[in-house]
Amino acid sequence: MHLSVRYDPKEKKFPITNLAHIELKMRHFLTNFAVALTKIKINIKDGTIKKSDRVIGIDLGTTNSLVAIVDPVTREAYCLGEPEDKIVPSVIHIGDDHSVTIGKKAAAYLTVEPEHTVYSVKRLLGRSYTDIAGHAASYGYALVEDQTKAMVNIDIRGRMYNPIELSSYILKALREKAQTLIGEPVSKAVITVPAYFNDSQRQATRDAGKLAGLDVMRIINEPTAASLAYGIGLLKHESKTIAVYDLGGGTFDITILSIQDGVFEVLSTNGDTYTGGDDFDRAIVEYWCLQMQLDLKEAEADQQLYQTLRLEAEKAKKYLSSNESYSRQIKVKDSYLELSLEKDTFESLIKPVVEKTLACCALALQDAGLEVPAIDEVVMVGGSTRTPYVVEKVSGFFHGTHINNSINPDEVVAIGAAIEADILAGNRKDMLLIDVTPLSLGIETVGGMMDTIIPRNTKVPFQAGRQYTTSVDGQSKLKIAVYQGERELVDDNRKLGEFILGNIPAMPAGLPKIDIHFILNADGILKIEATELRSGVRQDIEIKPQYGLTDAQVEDMLLSAMQNAETDMQKRMLAEAKAEAGQVIYYCRKLTGSHSDLLTEHELASIRDMIELLELACNGDDRETINKQIDRLNDMTRPFAEKLMDDAIGKALTGKKLDAL
Ligand code: ADP
Ligand code: MG
């Protein structure tokens, strides 16, 4: 193994001047063999989950939420409720006794009690204040401004509410609605989330479901649900690439999905969390103000006038989805206003917003590495795609590719969730079911860290490998400890087992190449193979990770991973600082020992003292102090490192190998 660094003949020096770092860099070079995860073809299993009670599908939307179910007799999926109350506005009003009102009734408070009425809570799920700070001013209620990374809180009437709790009120209302309408208790659900939701947002959604008394069987992506509603992805041997265009009230998402044998893979997502039908309404209000020679700023300041105009604008917009022109006289305070809007004018008003969404579509295609002809079908989602102009422009963008918009665009996600729920309930034996690992699988590395080899939510069967090396010279045995969980330190995860890879021929630290391969089969059985590639020494074991862990335990582990993310990071940084200190000390001792001739007695004594101080720091838990001592030791040994480098270069230039250092 040769160290490849640039040598500057004029300076006769390598650009690296730091003793420990030379070695660390070399080590890094040696250990950096991480093999990218390789996806292998998924084998489809059919549903074997026992028949259970009814499972509902929920679309927990930013603007509106819906609940749907599959009729046990007709096998048809439909949204629950009378036509006028299928859609539940995602609005929560908190009364003076902290009583909770949801939906339409709550939405009526938006204009009169904005500070007690929460809308768009989905944007806050799993997010901290700093995540959303840029848009904080646009919320009518009080977001608590703190500097922590914890989920943002909302202060309503002197009580703190968090987004999980608020979302759970919506879910609870949907659950109760379902129970009333089907006349049976409901405890299981599939809930949809945007494809771009990260782990903490998904976990927060799951927790909200739990708080609402629901056993969340699965969280699925909204575009996946919409596709299922159209029957896309339900057939074996089906292979397609589709675009899901979702324009809701306040958000826009475009997702490119690849579907193969019932497996949905998100190729790319793009969008804007602050673009949607609300922008159409605003454009109309601005136009009317201009027409009536009303100053927009003044109109905005007059909440009653502005909100009336806004509601009227939404009515006009919806009316124009199936009519050519709108006109109405309204009364605000004591004056009458004549409001009218032609379809053509409306379309020119919303053109910039629609063009913005098409630009996102172009970016999504680019990210997926695809061109328009590669898209087999387009699925339209979200209430705003009821506007014919939107469909027209999207169709134009996708060169007339088949557009699926026959199902109500505001119901399509909930309907898809109900279909997935029905599959999970085991009601469709003909249907495909993909299993995933509920928790990440990995091994322990230096410092007690968890190194994940198979991440959670990976579809099985799956296999992945990584390469490692030793951290101590002449190590002939290596303990491989296997863990399951999401926490950074193995101590906080669950140990599945350990085994020893022995008979490794003695080599300097960093030289052995140990390949560790995880093979997870469709039943959740994990087989591990460890091979020392230089000598060919190998060992393998089989572990059954799923057994012994109940669903509740899995949930608890995930919950605590979320709650402990911050402390884990601190612990990880401390463990890393200690590990680095260990390395620095090890190489300082080794090299000052083997090259003591390059140092004076005094220099040697100072380095030894400095090592002692670093060791002392490592006994404590103060990361800052450890890092400071590492820096001091590095600074002190820098001249020595330079000498050593020069020496090594000299030898290298006279034909000796550099790694003899
Ligand atoms: P979200 O997914 O964000 O919760 P929805 O998919 O329910 O939102 O979409 C809500 C948006 O759809 C609102 O802006 C609403 O005004 C708009 N919308 C609903 N019906 C129509 C219609 N007939 N024509 C145009 N826009 C509509
Ligand atoms: Mg939606």
Side-chain angles (χ1 to χ4, degrees):
M1 182 59 53
H2 294 272
L3 186 64
S4 66
V5 278
R6 195 169 46 81
Y7 175 67
D8 182 345
K10 249 189 260 151
E11 287 282 314
K12 288 210 172 138
K13 262 183 199 158
F14 275 94
I16 309 165
T17 53
N18 176 302
L19 174 63
H21 285 174
I22 294 168
E23 289 280 0
L24 280 180
K25 222 186 155 92
M26 188 160 149
R27 275 186 41 72
H28 179 69
F29 184 62
L30 282 168
T31 51
N32 202 8
F33 287 117
V35 175
L37 289 180
T38 40
K39 275 212 168 95
I40 64 156
K41 196 93 181 127
I42 311 294
N43 184 6
I44 311 300
K45 300 201 313 163
D46 65 339
T48 47
I49 291 175
K50 77 170 171 47
K51 252 196 186 177
S52 59
D53 46 4
R54 311 281 292 272
V55 186
I56 53 175
I58 294 178
D59 169 9
L60 182 62
T62 310
T63 316
N64 296 312
S65 298
L66 296 100
V67 55
I69 197 151
V70 170
D71 186 292
V73 182
T74 64
R75 313 291 315 139
E76 218 160 279
Y78 65 99
C79 284
L80 289 162
E82 292 301 315
E84 65 283 1
D85 58 28
K86 276 185 186 172
I87 293 179
V88 178
S90 306
V91 182
I92 307 120
H93 173 261
I94 305 292
D96 47 14
D97 53 351
H98 291 278
S99 57
V100 176
T101 314
I102 298 297
K104 266 192 197 157
K105 279 193 198 132
Y109 285 100
L110 274 173
T111 48
V112 283
E113 286 185 30
E115 69 279 23
H116 305 142
T117 317
V118 180
Y119 59 92
S120 296
V121 66
K122 184 172 173 180
R123 290 201 177 116
L124 310 177
L125 260 188
R127 317 288 285 162
S128 70
Y129 184 83
T130 22
D131 287 335
I132 44 140
H135 294 278
S138 64
Y139 293 87
Y141 42 88
L143 298 174
V144 181
E145 188 176 346
D146 57 12
Q147 294 311 311
T148 66
K149 293 209 180 80
M151 208 182 303
V152 64
N153 273 310
I154 299 151
D155 182 349
I156 306 169
R157 300 184 192 271
R159 214 201 107 177
M160 294 302 170
Y161 288 86
N162 80 41
I164 295 183
E165 183 183 3
L166 291 166
S167 303
S168 82
Y169 294 144
I170 300 173
L171 294 172
K172 195 158 161 259
L174 296 173
R175 177 186 172 209
E176 282 164 3
K177 179 178 175 179
Q179 294 189 144
T180 313
L181 292 174
I182 61 177
E184 274 175 37
V186 169
S187 65
K188 295 185 174 185
V190 167
I191 306 178
T192 59
V193 297
Y196 62 79
F197 255 30
N198 64 24
D199 257 14
S200 76
Q201 291 168 300
R202 282 166 200 265
Q203 184 58 46
T205 306
R206 201 173 256 284
D207 291 343
K210 217 171 171 184
L211 263 186
L214 287 169
D215 169 7
V216 182
M217 295 189 74
R218 197 162 288 183
I219 296 281
I220 67 167
N221 290 334
E222 287 161 12
T224 301
S227 316
L228 285 176
Y230 281 102
I232 303 170
L234 289 179
L235 300 173
K236 275 185 195 170
H237 314 303
E238 189 184 20
S239 160
K240 264 186 185 155
T241 305
I242 66 162
V244 182
Y245 179 101
D246 182 350
L247 191 60
T251 58
F252 168 65
D253 300 314
I254 171 78
T255 311
I256 311 291
L257 287 175
S258 141
I259 298 149
Q260 253 172 30
D261 296 338
V263 178
F264 287 76
E265 191 185 350
V266 177
L267 298 182
S268 68
T269 73
N270 206 293
D272 186 339
T273 45
Y274 291 89
T275 289
D278 298 349
D279 296 307
F280 294 1
D281 307 346
R282 206 167 303 122
I284 299 173
V285 172
E286 282 173 21
Y287 168 75
W288 281 341
C289 285
L290 204 68
Q291 287 247 301
M292 296 184 290
Q293 292 175 334
L294 275 172
D295 183 66
L296 184 67
K297 285 266 163 354
E298 277 172 32
E300 270 171 358
D302 182 344
Q303 272 298 310
Q304 197 188 340
L305 171 66
Y306 186 76
Q307 294 304 340
T308 311
L309 286 175
R310 198 183 55 81
L311 291 174
E312 212 49 47
E314 190 181 2
K315 267 189 212 149
K317 170 184 77 176
K318 290 184 180 174
Y319 188 77
L320 290 177
S321 288
S322 42
N323 297 277
E324 292 301 309
S325 75
Y326 177 86
S327 92
R328 225 180 96 120
Q329 190 187 53
I330 58 155
K331 192 178 171 203
V332 184
K333 288 170 200 156
D334 288 329
S335 45
Y336 286 92
L337 300 177
E338 294 293 336
L339 301 176
S340 67
L341 186 63
E342 295 299 313
K343 195 173 174 182
D344 288 354
T345 317
F346 170 60
E347 292 179 351
S348 64
L349 290 175
I350 62 171
K351 192 168 177 243
V353 184
V354 177
E355 278 173 356
K356 199 156 120 189
T357 66
L358 298 180
C360 293
C361 293
L363 288 173
L365 280 175
Q366 195 183 320
D367 285 350
L370 297 175
E371 309 246 345
V372 168
I375 303 298
D376 299 310
E377 287 186 51
V378 178
V379 173
M380 297 297 262
V381 183
S384 300
T385 63
R386 285 177 185 266
T387 295
Y389 180 75
V390 173
V391 182
E392 197 184 298
K393 289 291 149 187
V394 172
S395 175
F397 178 89
F398 286 102
H399 305 177
T401 305
H402 177 63
I403 301 254
N404 293 282
N405 65 344
S406 56
I407 303 177
N408 279 343
D410 23 33
E411 296 179 14
V412 64
V413 169
I415 288 175
I419 294 172
E420 176 81 10
D422 191 50
I423 298 172
L424 290 176
N427 296 335
R428 295 192 182 198
K429 282 278 187 269
D430 56 323
M431 218 104 275
L432 314 169
L433 243 200
I434 311 305
D435 278 348
V436 298
T437 53
L439 295 165
S440 302
L441 298 164
I443 62 159
E444 177 178 357
T445 56
V446 183
M449 310 304 293
M450 169 85 174
D451 196 29
T452 297
I453 295 182
I454 297 184
R456 84 187 180 93
N457 281 340
T458 300
K459 296 163 213 128
V460 294
F462 187 78
Q463 56 175 312
R466 271 171 183 269
Q467 291 187 353
Y468 299 86
T469 189
T470 50
S471 56
V472 180
D473 286 340
Q475 207 171 326
S476 65
K477 276 195 226 164
L478 198 73
K479 188 177 79 184
I480 295 159
V482 185
Y483 287 83
Q484 184 180 35
E486 308 314 308
R487 303 284 299 272
E488 300 270 8
L489 297 176
V490 291
D491 275 353
D492 298 320
N493 289 329
R494 182 171 185 269
K495 189 169 187 174
L496 295 175
E498 65 175 47
F499 65 105
I500 306 280
L501 177 67
N503 300 326
I504 306 174
M507 281 181 259
L511 216 51
K513 275 210 260 180
I514 294 137
D515 179 83
I516 298 187
H517 212 78
F518 276 31
I519 302 153
L520 188 60
N521 77 7
D523 298 323
I525 313 261
L526 178 68
K527 196 174 158 202
I528 301 159
E529 291 172 358
T531 317
E532 200 294 295
L533 298 175
R534 292 184 191 280
S535 59
V537 171
R538 60 174 282 150
Q539 185 79 48
D540 55 36
I541 61 158
E542 210 171 81
I543 287 175
K544 293 175 183 168
Q546 249 105 6
Y547 299 95
L549 264 193
T550 64
D551 276 359
Q553 279 171 308
V554 170
E555 295 247 332
D556 282 352
M557 286 172 81
L558 292 174
L559 194 69
S560 82
M562 185 179 80
Q563 286 160 347
N564 291 301
E566 181 63 14
T567 27
D568 270 10
M569 209 163 77
Q570 297 295 345
K571 276 196 210 168
R572 180 176 197 123
M573 289 196 296
L574 178 64
E576 278 175 357
K578 285 189 179 179
E580 187 184 348
Q583 298 277 355
V584 172
I585 293 172
Y586 173 82
Y587 287 109
C588 273
R589 288 221 168 99
K590 184 176 163 188
L591 294 171
T592 51
S594 56
H595 296 79
S596 55
D597 52 318
L598 294 174
L599 293 161
T600 65
E601 258 321 302
H602 176 69
E603 283 169 334
L604 271 173
S606 309
I607 292 175
R608 265 199 298 273
D609 287 351
M610 203 49 95
I611 289 178
E612 251 170 56
L613 282 177
L614 178 54
E615 279 178 329
L616 211 64
C618 286
N619 290 336
D621 282 338
D622 183 359
R623 186 165 50 87
E624 294 283 306
T625 314
I626 298 171
N627 283 334
K628 214 183 285 164
Q629 288 304 330
I630 292 175
D631 287 345
R632 288 207 179 129
L633 181 57
N634 278 335
D635 285 345
M636 180 176 273
T637 54
R638 186 163 296 124
F640 170 56
E642 284 175 1
K643 266 192 241 167
L644 209 58
M645 261 339 257
D646 284 348
D647 211 39
I649 309 308
K651 282 182 190 152
L653 291 181
T654 55
K656 287 187 185 151
K657 270 189 188 164
L658 198 56
D659 57 349
L661 196 90

